[in-house]
């Protein structure tokens, strides 16, 4: 039974959405505005402020990798975002 749950996670969620982790670095002193802007984007499931090279870690979801890449590109092109990077797919 335990292995069945693991296999289901490898195939994606039951609603057909694939999920992944991404990071974003925003302009200095713009974290609050960027947080609200990124959080409102469709496909951003969770958003966590962090310290270090990047300002946010995001859990993102989409129907396929092309749409996920589109979401990351949209975040990257935001006027408060310096860079956004996809890390990998969640199992």
């Amino acid at each position: 039974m335990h292995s069945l749950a693991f296999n289901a996670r490898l195939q994606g969620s039951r609603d057909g959405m694939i999920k992944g982790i991404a990071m974003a670095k925003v302009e200095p002193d713009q974290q609050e505005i960027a947080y609200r802007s990124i959080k409102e984007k469709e496909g951003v499931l969770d958003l966590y402020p962090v310290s270090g090279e990047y300002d946010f870690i995001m859990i993102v979801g989409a129907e396929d990798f092309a749409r996920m890449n589109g979401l990351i590109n949209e975040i990257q092109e935001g006027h408060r975002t310096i860079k956004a990077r996809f890390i990998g797919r969640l199992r």
Side-chain angles (χ1 to χ4, degrees), residues 16-79:
M17 179 183 289
I18 58 170
K19 295 178 184 173
I21 299 174
M23 303 183 304
K25 180 176 182 70
V26 299
E27 294 176 7
D29 301 320
Q30 298 297 312
Q31 287 88 357
E32 285 185 43
I33 295 168
Y35 179 89
R36 287 192 299 270
S37 175
I38 294 169
K39 185 73 173 169
E40 292 175 0
K41 295 209 177 290
E42 185 176 342
V44 175
L45 306 176
D46 288 306
L47 181 63
Y48 303 97
V50 296
S51 60
E53 181 180 351
Y54 288 85
D55 298 300
F56 301 106
I57 299 290
M58 301 170 275
I59 306 298
V60 295
E63 292 178 16
D64 54 45
F65 281 109
R67 291 186 182 170
M68 188 172 291
N69 286 334
L71 172 62
I72 301 304
N73 289 336
E74 185 179 320
I75 292 168
Q76 169 72 39
E77 294 167 1
H79 65 281

